[in-house]
Amino acid sequence: MSSSTKPAILSTLAFLSLFFSIAESSCSDAFNSKAKDVNITKYCKGLTTLGAEFGWDYTKGHNETTVRIILGARLQGEMGWLAWGVNPGKDPQMVGTRALIGIRQHNASMVIKTYNITTLTKLGCQLLPSENIDLEVSDEKIEYMPDISYLVIHATLILPVGKYNFSKLNHVWQVGNYAEDLEPKRHPTALQNVDSTETIDLATGHAHNCVGHHRQHLRRVRN
Ligand SMILES: *[C@@H]1O[C@H](CO)[C@@H](O)[C@H](O)[C@H]1NC(C)=O
Ligand SMILES: *[C@@H]1O[C@H](CO)[C@@H](O)[C@H](O)[C@H]1NC(C)=O
Ligand SMILES: *[C@@H]1O[C@H](CO)[C@@H](O)[C@H](O)[C@H]1NC(C)=O
Ligand SMILES: *[C@@H]1O[C@H](CO)[C@@H](O)[C@H](O)[C@H]1NC(C)=O
Ligand SMILES: *[C@@H]1O[C@H](CO)[C@@H](O)[C@H](O)[C@H]1NC(C)=O
């Protein structure tokens, strides 16, 4: 090795280790340990609201993309729910979302089901599970870490390429603190909870969050 290439290699190594330490620290230890347990370690990011953390990996097939996801967030109390979903529509919004919701009941039992989020849900109608959400979901699991009130859900989804663009996937997340049996009750309508959506590129984790959308939400909240 010539003496002139050595510093270049060393500085490259220093850069790489800096890069990896930043990449690793973007999710909490609690989240990372759960993600490792289920082998979803390829990508993770802290989401923009609710302190939620999201990890995923994907396999592209000819007609579909198989996505494995894990979502984690802290609950305010011992009871609560965590939702994550995708919206095949044009915009990243709650209405039209096919969701996976994990609930930790007051008696500490846990359940995870699929739900259709509709305009009726938004109006406050009862939200109950739907076996068919027009999407293949498997391996759904919910776990709770009582020492830090941290709830985690993970699952595998098969997204048909014609309906979902994996480089422009509308996803939605939500955290609530009250449920009645299988019915998650409306989350607090704080702005944070209303705005928990983005369009993500699964290949990079980058999100397209445009200011226009944000303004629209602000207006809707005031109505
Ligand atoms: C973990 O997942 C990757 C794909 O992301 C796979 O290649 C690997 O075999 C898996 N490892 C285990 C132990 O399941
Ligand atoms: C993919 O879709 C094409 C038509 O769009 C179909 O002919 C083919 O059988 C499908 N492949 C798989 C593996 O489902
Ligand atoms: C949920 O949505 C799917 C797809 O649009 C539909 O087939 C199904 O009937 C819906 N389920 C309920 C309970 O409304
Ligand atoms: C998915 O989105 C990307 C980026 O906007 C676009 O280039 C691509 O054509 C889209 N693919 C499909 C199948 O719509
Ligand atoms: C816990 O509460 C849920 C919801 O009220 C109920 O469905 C479930 O049977 C209860 N589990 C136990 C073990 O009591």
Side-chain angles (χ1 to χ4, degrees), residues 77-88:
E78 291 283 283
M79 171 187 198
W81 53 268
L82 198 53
W84 180 85
V86 287
N87 194 323

Side-chain angles (χ1 to χ4, degrees), residues 39 42 57 68:
N39 188 25
K42 188 128 190 239
D57 66 21
R68 299 195 308 139

Side-chain angles (χ1 to χ4, degrees), residues 8-203:
I9 290 172
L10 286 178
S11 69
T12 306
L13 285 178
F15 172 77
L16 283 179
S17 65
L18 180 68
F19 177 79
F20 282 115
S21 64
I22 289 170
E24 271 165 23
S25 68
S26 70
C27 289
S28 69
D29 291 346
F31 181 85
N32 287 337
S33 78
K34 280 296 162 199
K36 208 170 157 197
D37 283 352
V38 294
N39 188 25
I40 307 182
T41 51
K42 188 128 190 239
Y43 301 93
C44 102
K45 70 185 268 191
L47 295 173
T48 47
T49 60
L50 303 166
E53 300 177 276
F54 178 57
W56 72 97
D57 66 21
Y58 64 89
T59 315
K60 281 207 276 184
H62 187 61
N63 294 340
E64 72 286 309
T65 310
T66 303
V67 184
R68 299 195 308 139
I69 66 100
I70 175 166
L71 182 80
R74 254 175 220 260
L75 298 182
Q76 276 172 23
E78 291 283 283
M79 171 187 198
W81 53 268
L82 198 53
W84 180 85
V86 287
N87 194 323
K90 242 179 83 220
D91 298 312
Q93 60 174 21
M94 185 177 124
V95 172
T97 294
R98 282 85 163 96
L100 187 66
I101 304 183
I103 300 174
R104 187 173 195 271
Q105 316 273 12
H106 56 89
N107 60 12
S109 70
M110 299 204 281
V111 62
I112 182 163
K113 299 272 179 192
T114 49
Y115 295 76
N116 284 331
I117 315 292
T118 66
T119 29
L120 293 176
T121 319
K122 195 166 181 181
L123 290 172
C125 296
Q126 197 178 35
L127 176 61
L128 289 174
S130 170
E131 282 282 321
N132 170 11
I133 56 164
D134 209 17
L135 201 61
E136 221 178 294
V137 182
S138 57
D139 297 335
E140 311 97 291
K141 296 267 160 45
I142 173 169
E143 293 177 66
Y144 184 64
M145 299 162 92
D147 48 331
I148 55 165
S149 305
Y150 197 81
L151 193 63
V152 173
I153 58 174
H154 48 92
T156 300
L157 284 85
I158 296 184
L159 306 177
V161 291
K163 276 194 189 151
Y164 298 91
N165 187 337
F166 90 102
S167 66
K168 250 168 65 181
L169 185 68
N170 295 324
H171 77 132
V172 175
W173 61 95
Q174 205 49 256
V175 184
N177 43 37
Y178 185 65
E180 266 174 29
D181 214 355
L182 296 178
E183 189 193 356
K185 288 300 202 175
R186 287 186 84 182
H187 52 80
T189 40
L191 180 60
Q192 252 211 345
N193 292 57
V194 178
D195 207 17
S196 299
T197 67
E198 70 182 13
T199 303
I200 190 174
D201 181 346
L202 291 181

